């Protein structure tokens, strides 16, 4: 079945470390997105990518980096510059950025220890 | 800028009760889409409905129904005869036509259906 796979499901990071969250899709979608979810808050956009080798900052990009070297993959790196990285991270995709049929992954819960 | 407000943080009902989740939005644009998503404990967002700003017709899908009223900028979601499996966080969201950016999400409503 087509869908989005996020890994790992749970991730623990020591302060000062960079960590990378994986997002893979087999839907042949051009557009991919990373959202952050904090308790009691809606999802906020970190980065999005319209096409391979292209990505744009969302509302809360500081302390994060992404790459889009392959259509299927859109990894997110949480750097040590992100002051409060503990959150739930969701990856999503759509056929194009103007097709609003989004498919979401099951998320990665990142905890700083 | 757009804004979506879900004033109900948590709702608890007993199974078989009806429940309405409120969503109020703000935008100066006249062309937009509104969404409802369900987030079960497993974490992924499950699409429930998308409605464009030109279509105020209410929709019913099984036990789910949606009431879209542009006059009050509301897009409320009702579950009839609730079931334990309906327990989840529900998000309302908005995006402008042609936007290449992102959905604006509400803060979500945690619905708990008790047996």
């Amino acid at each position: 079945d087509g869908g989005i796979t996020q890994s790992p499901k749970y991730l623990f990071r020591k302060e000062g470390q960079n960590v990378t969250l994986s997002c893979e899709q087999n839907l042949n979608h051009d557009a991919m997105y990373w959202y952050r979810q904090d308790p009691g808050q809606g999802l906020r956009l970190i980065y999005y990518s319209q096409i391979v080798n292209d990505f744009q900052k969302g509302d809360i990009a500081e302390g994060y980096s992404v790459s889009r070297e392959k259509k299927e993959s859109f990894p997110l790196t949480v750097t040590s510059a992100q002051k409060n990285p503990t959150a739930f991270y969701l990856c999503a995709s759509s056929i194009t950025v103007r097709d609003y049929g989004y498919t979401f992954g099951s998320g990665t819960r990142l905890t700083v220890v | 800028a757009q804004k979506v407000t879900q004033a109900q943080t948590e709702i608890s009902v007993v199974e078989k009760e009806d429940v309405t989740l409120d969503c109020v939005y703000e935008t100066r644009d006249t062309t937009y889409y509104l969404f409802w998503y369900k987030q079960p404990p497993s974490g992924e967002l499950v699409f429930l409905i998308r409605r464009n700003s030109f279509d105020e017709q209410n929709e019913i899908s099984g036990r789910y129904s949606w009431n879209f009223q542009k006059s009050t900028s509301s897009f409320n979601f009702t579950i009839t005869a609730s079931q334990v499996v309906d327990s989840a966080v529900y998000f309302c969201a908005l995006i402008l036509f042609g936007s290449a950016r992102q959905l604006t999400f509400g803060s979500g409503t945690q619905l708990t259906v008790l047996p």
Side-chain angles (χ1 to χ4, degrees):
Chain A
D1 286 339
I4 295 181
T5 301
Q6 289 188 242
S7 62
K9 193 169 182 63
Y10 299 95
L11 187 57
F12 297 89
R13 191 195 91 172
K14 292 183 179 179
E15 287 195 29
Q17 283 184 339
N18 293 353
V19 290
T20 297
L21 283 59
S22 171
C23 177
E24 303 277 335
Q25 54 101 355
N26 60 3
L27 299 165
N28 200 32
H29 286 175
D30 282 330
M32 298 187 73
Y33 312 81
W34 274 105
Y35 286 90
R36 171 179 170 142
Q37 182 180 4
D38 293 286
Q41 298 189 34
L43 281 67
R44 294 180 290 167
L45 184 70
I46 304 172
Y47 270 99
Y48 68 101
S49 168
Q50 300 190 52
I51 201 166
V52 174
N53 293 322
D54 169 82
F55 48 83
Q56 306 293 329
K57 292 182 179 180
D59 293 330
I60 56 167
E62 185 175 350
Y64 299 98
S65 66
V66 294
S67 63
R68 187 87 186 275
E69 297 176 1
K70 298 187 300 181
K71 187 175 186 177
E72 304 79 23
S73 179
F74 191 40
L76 173 73
T77 296
V78 184
T79 74
S80 57
Q82 170 50 235
K83 299 305 180 187
N84 185 22
T86 295
F88 188 61
Y89 293 87
L90 278 163
C91 180
S93 70
S94 59
I95 295 174
T96 69
V97 288
R98 289 181 176 80
D99 176 89
Y100 304 133
Y102 300 97
T103 300
F104 285 84
S106 57
T108 293
R109 187 166 300 280
L110 173 63
T111 303
V112 174
V113 296
Chain B
Q2 292 70 243
K3 185 178 180 181
V4 176
T5 301
Q6 295 180 255
Q8 304 152 308
T9 305
E10 298 181 21
I11 300 176
S12 288
V13 299
V14 177
E15 205 169 20
K16 297 184 182 177
E17 286 185 354
D18 299 347
V19 58
T20 295
L21 309 183
D22 297 332
C23 173
V24 175
Y25 62 92
E26 296 175 29
T27 179
R28 293 183 178 180
D29 281 68
T30 58
T31 55
Y32 49 87
Y33 286 108
L34 293 164
F35 299 78
W36 274 97
Y37 287 93
K38 174 182 180 179
Q39 186 178 41
S42 53
E44 78 279 13
L45 263 68
V46 177
F47 169 81
L48 296 178
I49 190 172
R50 182 177 82 185
R51 178 52 51 90
N52 73 59
S53 53
F54 298 115
D55 183 3
E56 286 193 72
Q57 188 173 7
N58 292 330
E59 182 159 339
I60 298 174
S61 176
R63 295 185 296 107
Y64 296 169
S65 63
W66 291 268
N67 183 358
F68 176 30
Q69 292 192 345
K70 289 179 73 172
S71 60
T72 56
S73 297
S74 65
F75 187 43
N76 296 337
F77 173 33
T78 297
I79 302 175
T80 302
S82 60
Q83 300 176 1
V84 172
V85 293
D86 295 326
S87 296
V89 180
Y90 291 86
F91 289 98
C92 181
L94 176 148
I95 194 166
L96 303 180
F97 276 19
S99 172
R101 281 180 60 83
Q102 79 278 18
L103 292 162
T104 298
F105 284 86
S107 56
T109 297
Q110 171 71 61
L111 173 65
T112 302
V113 181
L114 303 170

